[in-house]
């Protein structure tokens, strides 16, 4: 203790050194590769940078270009359908799975939940591979193999209903998040409430309706908000399975950004498109924060000595 | 009151009780069976493809898309053939699988190292020390964590290009690591938060400096946290697709994701066996992770409540 | 209003026997307490009665009808949980109305019954509040109301007073007892607090390790304990147990312990004579022991070890040789640490137990 006191005037410098050592790398990396790109996106959006990496400032031209982009309306429609239906599937399926598996004995429930977690844990490309095999338009694919067996001609699912495909592809991944969250929420409902409800005369269905569902409103909100945000901005799976096709029929907004910017090389325009998404993302993150009172997560440290 | 009580009571005689009991028993069995049935119907279609994948990887022929036959290891020739030929035979060949594996490992391990080191350091500091603008810092980190980083792809591409980090594992490592740092920070912070202050206080009273306290006393306590984010980081690096797709253009720098993607493109309507074999090979770390953490995953309470 | 019979009721959890062959009868409108230390099986019994657990052996009968296989929702029971288990997302009215809504009673009947029972437990003004806005005592009343609103066949109370502060506890004890008398509903209360059981119940069933030790009125258990466990559990401060030997001389029996000679009352002589010379445990309640500062005829001498003043009385611990004995003295007792005192048992109320079986001999 005396040693510490004797260090006196050196402490502020030492404190600063520790701060740099511990927080420095974090701050450096996140600012460079996380914060800066956000700003770059905004700046880029104001240029007409193309695949030759030459461009100049063009002000809001790109943004005005949205209005005359022939592909954009279809993309927006795709995005709307995709988000709404996949959200419904994710939340609905997640809830259903959670409810069903919590009524089973632990082992069985865990097994089913493990199966539903497989898609999420599979590398994107492998998951895409499995889907590609499933929807293969030749009789090699599972879907059409079954159809052939039943004497029905093969069907190219992607062409027939691109929306259905992208909703299911992402739905199977997304449902597992809701499932895990809802399961733990249901499990954390004190046993006494369920017992009291039974003694009060409630059947299983009544317990679900009157006790379980009302008490998981919080996690439900969380999943809705989190999933909406994720759906608006993710496109990996669609990219692998449909590539956004046929043509642009299964391209959602986030994928459109990728296709225009990275595949076509319209960096300026792409950045402008991305900028919209960045703003949406930032707003959603704010909502996330507000709605779920993340502030509770931060408490002051207790040791004040340096 | 006795009269109205009887009015509300749903049973009165032994026969009625027996009937109700029987009905309840039947409802229970039917309920349980239909539960299994529904879950089975929902889950089987998910399981089948994976079973097919493994089967097809070792089969010569996959008839009717489902039933494999003819055990073979031919599909795995990409492991020992110098360069797996492309079906079209026109352009250059696919890179050697072991070079690709090397790249993937470099990416995965690199990401893990960066994230573990940076997040543990920052997590400790954020958890146990006060510093100016601490609240603002944590709030900012929280917002970043919730933010969809994939939207920054275009900017990151341009950024990496100007830093001359395209086509290099370093670039991708830095990007993936940085984008996941806020999440990792909060996980580690959470673990540090869970250490009682008493331990640290008593170490300090015993004469240790804060730095020494950190690595001798606190670090061992958060071993689980480090293990957790190490596992996640490895997988993020190993399974990444979009970033490697965008930032890696040189064939020799390909990772497994790109290799498989190319194999799919080439062999898709010709030979599912090869595709499946590469797929299974690629999936091994994920499967290991899955098996080891199955129980643990079930117990995680996600989102919003971790302090 | 039902007669409850438990026949050889048992419950196993894996290899653990929580309850073993319990035989018990509760009469119409009786207030029965299930008393015992934690782990004795009393809560298990309650949950078996509620239908939340299924018995592994034995039967439960309501009015002569076996209800083993009847699920909780069909048993028409009211239960107050230790945690009250008030549904947090419903207000007081909705909580109480819940059982009636599940029975699909018409809305005005629901309103009427809820109002009636709310008046009964005096919570009329709290109808709109959520459980989190209520005090502990209020929550308990709401829980009671919810249990009573369907006019249950049987009322189950799981440690209803343990979460209340001392003052409220005394108040609610009287309240619940009054309510039970008024409504005449067969009630079974589970508690680990013997004062609760003694003051509220018509009869008490004392359990230990899943086995029934004794069932009877409070007086039965207090004055005629069946074994050392019952004797030691009922009464506070607990009974003293002193090892002694039965010695007979001239038709009189003396219980000889270390430094202690206690003359046994004549009534007990025949029983003791048949066991002359054997080792026994003598039970003495602290309130039956008198401490005298002056030597008394034939009274053993002891030294004061510790004095705990309790206001109107004092708990005095004394030592006789190496044996410690606890006695009660009134507040005028002027003794001090290490002073000698002399013990007498003026009431002649002592109990004799067989050390091998723990059963009471006399």
């Amino acid at each position: 203790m005396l040693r510490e006191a004797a260090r006196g005037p050196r402490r502020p410098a030492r404190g600063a050194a520790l701060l740099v050592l511990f927080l420095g790398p974090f701050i450096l990396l996140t600012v460079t590769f996380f914060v800066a790109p956000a700003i770059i996106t905004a700046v880029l959006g104001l240029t007409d940078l193309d695949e030759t990496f030459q461009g100049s400032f063009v002000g809001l031209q790109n943004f005005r270009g949205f209005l005359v982009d022939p592909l954009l309306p279809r993309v927006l429609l795709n995005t709307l359908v995709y988000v709404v239906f996949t959200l419904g599937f994710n939340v609905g399926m997640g809830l259903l799975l959670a409810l069903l598996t919590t009524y089973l004995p632990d082992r069985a429930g865990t097994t089913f939940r493990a199966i539903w977690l497989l898609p999420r844990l599979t590398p994107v490309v492998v998951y895409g591979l499995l889907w590609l095999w499933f929807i293969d338009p030749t009789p090699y694919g599972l879907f059409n193999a079954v159809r052939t067996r039943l004497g029905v001609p093969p069907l190219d699912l992607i062409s027939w209903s691109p929306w259905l495909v992208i909703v299911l592809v992402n739905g199977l991944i997304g449902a597992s998040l809701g499932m895990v969250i809802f399961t733990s929420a249901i499990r954390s409902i004190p046993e006494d409430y369920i017992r009291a409800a039974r003694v009060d005369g409630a059947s299983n269905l009544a317990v679900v309706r009157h006790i379980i569902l009302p008490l998981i409103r919080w996690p439900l909100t969380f999943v809705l908000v989190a999933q909406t945000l994720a759906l608006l901005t993710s496109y990996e799976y669609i990219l692998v399975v449909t590539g956004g096709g046929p043509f642009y029929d299964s391209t959602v907004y986030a994928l459109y950004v990728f296709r225009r910017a990275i595949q076509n090389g319209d960096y300026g325009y792409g950045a402008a498109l991305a900028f919209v998404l960045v703003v949406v993302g930032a707003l959603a993150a704010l909502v996330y924060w507000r709605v779920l009172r993340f502030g509770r997560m931060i408490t002051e440290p207790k040791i004040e000595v340096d | 009151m006795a009269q109205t009580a009887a009015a509300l009571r749903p049973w009165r005689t032994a026969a009625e009780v027996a009937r109700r009991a029987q009905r309840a028993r039947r409802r229970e069995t039917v309920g349980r069976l239909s539960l299994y049935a529904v879950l089975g119907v929902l889950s089987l279609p998910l399981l089948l493809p994976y079973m097919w994948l493994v089967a097809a990887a070792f089969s010569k022929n996959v008839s009717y898309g489902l039933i494999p036959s003819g055990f073979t290891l031919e599909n795995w020739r990409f492991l020992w053939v110098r360069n797996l030929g492309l079906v079209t035979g026109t352009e250059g060949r696919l890179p050697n699988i072991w070079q690709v594996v090397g790249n993937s490992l470099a990416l995965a391990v690199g990401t893990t190292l960066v994230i573990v080191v940076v997040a543990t350091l920052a997590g400790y500091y954020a958890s146990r020390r006060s510093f100016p603008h601490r609240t603002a810092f944590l709030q900012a980190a929280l917002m970043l964590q919730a933010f969809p980083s994939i939207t920054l792809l275009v900017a990151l591409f341009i950024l990496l290009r100007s830093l001359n980090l395209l086509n290099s594992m370093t670039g991708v490592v830095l990007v993936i690591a940085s984008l996941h740092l806020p999440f990792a920070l909060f996980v580690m912070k959470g673990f540090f938060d869970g250490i009682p202050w008493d331990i640290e206080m008593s170490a300090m009273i015993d004469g240790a400096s804060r730095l020494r306290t950190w690595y001798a006393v606190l670090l061992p306590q958060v071993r689980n946290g480090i293990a957790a984010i190490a596992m996640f980081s490895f997988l993020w690096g190993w399974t990444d697709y979009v970033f490697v797709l965008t930032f890696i253009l040189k064939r020799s720098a390909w990772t497994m994701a790109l290799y498989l993607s190319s194999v799919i493109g080439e062999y898709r309507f010709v030979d599912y066996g090869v595709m499946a074999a590469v797929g299974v090979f690629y999936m091994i770390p994920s499967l290991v992770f899955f098996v080891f953490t199955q129980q643990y995953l079930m117990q995680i309470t996600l989102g919003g409540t971790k302090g | 209003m039902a007669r409850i019979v438990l026949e050889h009721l048992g419950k196993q959890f894996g290899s653990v026997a929580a309850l073993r062959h319990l035989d018990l009868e509760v009469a119409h409108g009786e207030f029965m307490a299930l008393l015992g230390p934690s782990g004795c099986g009393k809560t298990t019994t309650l949950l078996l009665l509620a239908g939340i657990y299924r018995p592994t052996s034995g039967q439960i009968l309501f009015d002569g009808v076996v209800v083993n296989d009847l699920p909780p929702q069909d048993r028409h029971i009211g239960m107050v949980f230790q945690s009250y288990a008030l549904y947090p997302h419903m207000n007081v009215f909705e909580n109480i109305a819940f059982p009636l809504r599940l029975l699909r009673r018409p809305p005005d009947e629901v309103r009427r019954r809820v109002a009636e029972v709310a008046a009964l437990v005096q919570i009329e003004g709290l109808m709109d509040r959520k459980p989190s806005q209520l005090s502990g005592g209020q929550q308990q009343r709401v829980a009671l109301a919810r249990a009573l609103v369907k006019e249950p066949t049987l009322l189950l109370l799981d440690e209803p007073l343990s979460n209340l502060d001392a003052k409220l506890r005394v108040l609610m004890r009287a309240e619940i007892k009054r309510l039970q008398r008024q409504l005449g509903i067969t009630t079974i209360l589970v508690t680990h607090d013997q004062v609760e059981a003694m003051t509220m119940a018509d009869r008490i069933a004392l359990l230990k390790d899943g086995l029934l030790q004794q069932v009877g009125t409070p007086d039965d258990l207090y004055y005629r304990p069946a074994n050392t466990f019952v004797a030691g559990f009922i009464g506070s401060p607990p009974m003293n147990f002193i090892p002694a030997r039965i010695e007979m001389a001239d038709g009189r029996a003396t219980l000889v312990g270390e430094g202690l000679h206690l003359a046994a009352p004549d009534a007990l002589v025949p029983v003791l004579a048949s066991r002359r010379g054997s080792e026994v445990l003598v039970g003495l309640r602290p309130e039956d022991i008198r401490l005298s500062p002056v030597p008394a005829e034939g009274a053993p001498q002891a030294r004061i070890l510790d004095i705990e003043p309790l206001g109107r009385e004092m708990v005095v611990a004394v030592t006789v040789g190496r044996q410690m004995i606890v006695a009660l003295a009134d507040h005028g007792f002027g003794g001090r640490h290490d002073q000698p005192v002399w013990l007498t048992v003026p009431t002649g109320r002592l109990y004799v137990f067989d050390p091998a079986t723990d059963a009471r001999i006399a």
Side-chain angles (χ1 to χ4, degrees):
Chain A
M1 285 305 195
L2 288 172
R3 268 183 291 142
E4 298 271 316
R7 296 230 182 96
R10 276 176 61 196
R11 275 218 231 117
R14 188 148 187 266
L18 279 180
L19 189 141
V20 167
L21 173 66
F22 281 86
L23 283 188
F26 180 87
I27 296 179
L28 181 67
L29 284 176
T30 43
V31 167
T32 314
F33 293 100
F34 209 142
V35 180
I39 305 171
I40 296 176
T41 311
V43 171
L44 264 183
L46 300 173
T47 72
D48 63 357
L49 202 67
D50 63 19
E51 64 265 25
T52 62
F53 289 101
Q54 283 166 343
S56 49
F57 275 96
V58 293
L60 297 172
Q61 183 182 301
N62 288 328
F63 293 95
R64 261 175 273 143
F66 291 173
L67 300 172
V68 296
D69 187 337
L71 297 167
L72 202 53
R74 172 72 200 214
V75 166
L76 288 173
L77 180 65
N78 289 341
T79 313
L80 182 69
V81 170
Y82 166 64
V83 171
V84 168
F85 283 96
T86 315
L87 190 67
F89 184 91
N90 284 354
V91 176
M93 198 54 146
L95 194 55
L96 182 70
L97 286 170
L99 281 171
L100 293 180
T101 55
T102 44
Y103 269 96
L104 288 178
D106 263 359
R107 265 253 178 127
T110 313
T111 315
F112 280 113
R113 280 195 292 271
I115 295 179
W116 272 83
L117 269 173
L118 266 179
R120 184 171 276 266
L121 296 175
T122 323
V124 183
V125 186
V126 178
Y127 180 71
L129 163 61
L130 293 174
W131 264 100
L132 286 172
W133 163 69
F134 182 80
I135 60 178
D136 192 334
T138 74
Y140 278 115
L142 178 61
F143 184 66
N144 287 309
V146 171
R147 281 177 76 92
T148 319
R149 261 293 178 78
L150 296 175
V152 183
L155 181 65
D156 185 0
L157 267 178
I158 298 186
S159 314
W160 181 68
S161 177
W163 283 343
L164 180 67
V165 173
I166 60 177
V167 168
L168 283 179
V169 166
N170 285 277
L172 293 185
I173 305 278
S176 58
L177 181 72
M179 178 184 73
V180 170
I181 293 185
F182 293 140
T183 303
S184 102
I186 292 176
R187 284 255 182 87
S188 61
I189 296 178
E191 178 88 53
D192 267 358
Y193 291 144
I194 315 284
R195 288 177 174 173
R198 285 203 199 285
V199 169
D200 283 345
S203 64
N204 275 335
L205 219 59
V207 169
V208 170
R209 187 169 145 225
H210 294 285
I211 310 294
I212 296 186
L213 285 181
L215 288 179
I216 58 173
R217 233 177 304 200
W218 214 220
L220 196 63
T221 315
F222 171 79
V223 171
L224 278 169
V225 173
Q227 289 279 278
T228 309
L229 188 59
L231 288 172
L232 280 173
T233 57
S234 65
Y235 57 90
E236 272 189 308
Y237 295 100
I238 303 177
L239 179 61
V240 175
V241 178
T242 68
F247 192 50
Y248 278 84
D249 289 346
S250 66
T251 305
V252 295
Y253 191 89
L255 182 57
Y256 187 55
V257 173
F258 180 80
R259 292 183 73 173
R260 286 303 294 261
I262 308 295
Q263 284 178 352
N264 288 9
D266 301 332
Y267 299 118
Y269 188 63
L273 289 169
F275 181 69
V276 173
L277 221 51
V278 167
V279 169
V280 168
L283 284 175
L286 207 74
V287 168
Y288 215 68
W289 163 270
R290 276 287 141 76
V291 166
L292 297 159
R293 290 189 239 134
F294 272 42
R296 261 191 276 138
M297 283 172 63
I298 300 175
T299 52
E300 282 302 312
K302 285 191 190 151
I303 297 184
E304 287 153 21
V305 174
D306 217 338
Chain B
M1 215 175 187
Q3 284 186 311
T4 42
L8 287 180
R9 187 163 85 175
W11 53 268
R12 212 164 320 176
T13 65
E16 275 178 58
V17 170
R19 226 180 318 130
R20 274 184 180 263
Q22 196 189 37
R23 216 187 319 158
R25 240 192 325 256
R26 216 176 327 140
R27 232 181 304 154
E28 205 189 308
T29 350
V30 168
R32 176 143 326 158
L33 284 177
S34 37
L35 217 59
Y36 277 108
V38 170
L39 279 172
V41 166
L42 287 177
S43 313
L44 200 61
L46 252 103
L47 203 52
L48 280 179
Y50 291 92
M51 292 171 12
W52 166 83
L53 188 72
V54 177
F58 291 98
S59 315
K60 229 183 313 218
N61 250 318
V62 185
S63 57
Y64 287 106
L66 194 53
I67 307 154
S69 63
F71 182 85
T72 174
L73 287 176
E74 262 298 293
N75 296 327
W76 293 80
R77 63 181 182 280
F78 65 93
L79 288 175
W80 55 80
V81 164
R82 191 115 223 287
N83 292 90
L84 187 65
L86 289 180
V87 177
T88 52
T90 47
E91 306 226 336
R93 295 162 177 269
L94 288 172
N96 183 286
I97 183 68
W98 299 107
Q99 186 180 23
V100 172
V101 170
N103 292 334
S104 279
L105 276 177
L107 179 56
V109 172
T111 310
T112 307
L113 283 175
V114 173
I115 292 184
V116 167
V117 170
V118 177
T120 309
L121 285 172
Y124 161 73
Y125 207 79
S127 163
R128 320 290 281 195
R129 307 209 37 156
S130 71
F131 49 91
H133 309 303
R134 183 174 178 269
T135 325
F137 170 79
L138 286 171
Q139 282 175 342
L142 262 177
M143 303 264 258
L144 281 180
Q145 187 214 10
F147 182 82
S149 46
I150 231 178
T151 53
L152 304 171
L153 192 67
V154 183
L156 283 166
F157 178 71
I158 302 296
L159 180 68
L160 281 187
R161 188 171 184 279
S162 27
L163 290 177
N164 226 350
L165 285 173
L166 278 186
N167 278 322
S168 80
M169 284 306 138
T170 320
V172 189
V173 164
L174 289 175
V175 168
I176 297 181
S178 307
L179 294 178
H180 285 112
L181 271 178
F183 175 77
L185 170 74
F186 279 103
V187 171
M188 290 314 298
K189 176 175 178 293
F191 276 91
F192 277 110
D193 284 344
I195 304 177
W197 285 93
D198 301 355
I199 296 185
E200 197 172 352
M201 284 186 204
S202 91
M204 282 173 67
I205 292 176
D206 284 345
S209 72
R210 283 206 96 176
L211 200 57
R212 202 183 164 125
T213 319
W214 180 70
Y215 81 74
V217 172
L218 295 179
L219 224 45
Q221 294 280 322
V222 295
R223 238 182 336 216
N224 284 336
I226 295 181
I229 56 169
M231 274 194 303
F232 278 117
S233 305
F234 187 85
L235 283 179
W236 287 327
W238 182 262
T239 64
D240 175 73
Y241 177 58
V242 176
F243 290 122
V244 294
L245 180 68
T246 312
F247 301 143
I248 308 269
L249 308 162
K250 212 168 44 177
R251 219 176 275 246
S252 59
W254 273 7
T255 62
M256 287 291 315
L258 297 172
Y259 185 84
L260 176 59
S261 188
S262 192
V263 168
I264 293 175
E266 282 299 318
Y267 284 82
R268 195 176 153 187
F269 297 109
V270 181
D271 189 351
Y272 271 105
V274 178
M275 280 170 62
V278 179
V280 171
F281 182 69
Y282 182 25
M283 236 185 114
I284 294 175
S286 302
L287 278 175
V288 168
F289 172 79
F290 180 68
V291 166
F292 269 121
T293 59
Q294 220 218 64
Q295 270 304 102
Y296 182 68
L297 280 171
M298 291 307 142
Q299 293 158 16
I300 299 178
T301 15
L302 290 174
T305 48
K306 272 241 176 111
Chain C
M1 278 67 76
R3 181 166 157 272
I4 311 290
V5 175
L6 302 177
E7 255 175 37
H8 223 72
L9 193 64
K11 179 65 181 168
Q12 292 272 130
F13 291 106
S15 55
V16 178
L19 190 68
R20 293 181 238 237
H21 51 82
L22 177 66
D23 290 287
L24 194 65
E25 269 186 40
V26 184
H28 269 296
E30 183 174 24
F31 194 146
M32 166 78 76
L34 295 177
L35 175 68
S38 46
C40 70
K42 54 194 197 294
T43 307
T44 307
T45 310
L46 208 70
L47 292 173
L48 283 165
L49 282 163
I52 291 170
Y53 288 166
R54 279 250 184 83
T56 37
S57 60
Q59 303 188 70
I60 302 175
L61 296 110
F62 289 8
D63 280 337
V65 177
V66 176
V67 296
N68 280 27
D69 295 321
L70 207 58
Q73 48 262 41
D74 289 334
R75 289 200 186 188
H76 199 62
I77 286 183
M79 183 161 172
V80 178
F81 290 80
Q82 189 174 358
S83 66
Y84 311 137
L86 295 181
Y87 309 123
H89 56 287
M90 299 186 198
N91 65 22
V92 170
F93 181 88
E94 289 159 350
N95 260 279
I96 302 176
F98 191 59
L100 297 177
R101 278 177 52 210
L102 287 170
L103 284 170
R104 300 193 213 261
R105 309 308 297 173
D108 22 291
E109 182 186 332
V110 172
R111 245 173 288 136
R112 178 178 53 85
R113 285 186 187 272
V114 173
E116 268 173 27
V117 80
L120 206 61
V121 296
Q122 294 157 13
I123 50 167
E124 297 99 314
L126 305 173
M127 287 302 159
D128 287 326
R129 300 217 198 150
K130 287 266 172 69
S132 54
Q133 297 167 301
L134 302 172
S135 72
Q138 290 168 330
Q139 284 183 15
Q140 201 210 43
R141 288 169 191 265
V142 176
L144 256 176
R146 183 178 68 189
L148 292 171
V149 78
K150 60 154 110 59
E151 293 173 19
T153 313
L154 175 65
L155 179 64
L156 300 173
L157 305 167
D158 188 3
E159 311 246 16
L161 306 179
S162 55
N163 291 348
L164 303 174
D165 62 62
K167 222 173 174 193
L168 211 52
R169 218 178 286 180
V170 175
L171 205 74
M172 287 311 295
R173 242 165 40 196
E175 269 292 298
I176 295 177
K177 191 166 176 179
R178 174 186 69 82
L179 264 173
Q180 196 269 342
R181 282 268 160 79
Q182 184 182 335
L183 297 173
I185 300 183
T186 312
T187 304
I188 300 182
L189 165 92
V190 156
T191 180
H192 62 276
D193 183 344
Q194 46 120 7
V195 174
E196 238 171 76
M198 300 279 279
T199 53
M200 292 170 81
D202 295 328
R203 277 197 306 155
I204 303 176
L206 184 56
L207 291 143
K208 177 186 176 216
D209 294 333
L211 282 170
L212 180 65
Q213 302 293 309
Q214 186 174 356
V215 59
T217 63
D219 272 2
D220 284 338
L221 268 69
Y222 188 85
Y223 291 112
R224 293 171 284 280
N227 57 34
T228 50
F229 177 74
V230 179
F233 197 87
I234 307 282
S236 180
M239 182 185 286
N240 297 288
F241 292 107
I242 305 157
R245 205 174 50 251
I246 304 176
E247 278 177 18
M248 307 292 306
D250 312 322
R252 309 184 84 134
T254 319
L255 297 157
V256 182
E258 191 190 317
L260 219 60
H261 285 259
L262 289 168
D266 296 331
L268 301 182
V269 170
V271 180
L272 295 178
S274 65
R275 290 173 178 254
R276 57 156 30 99
S278 53
E279 300 288 331
V280 292
L281 276 175
V282 178
L284 284 173
R285 289 205 184 276
E287 52 267 31
D288 291 330
I289 301 175
R290 202 87 353 148
L291 297 174
S292 157
V294 296
E297 161 89 43
Q301 181 189 23
R303 289 223 103 77
I304 297 182
L305 181 64
D306 189 39
I307 303 179
E308 290 172 9
L310 287 181
R312 68 147 191 256
E313 58 196 5
M314 310 184 123
V315 177
V316 186
V318 303
T319 46
V320 179
R322 279 169 305 176
Q323 171 93 35
M324 185 176 92
I325 297 181
V326 175
L328 279 178
D330 42 298
H331 70 273
F333 183 71
R336 278 199 314 268
H337 179 73
D338 226 24
Q339 269 185 354
V341 284
W342 284 262
L343 295 158
T344 54
V345 186
T347 54
R349 224 193 320 265
L350 46 78
Y351 304 84
V352 185
F353 301 91
D354 180 342
T357 62
D358 286 337
R360 185 168 62 89
I361 311 171

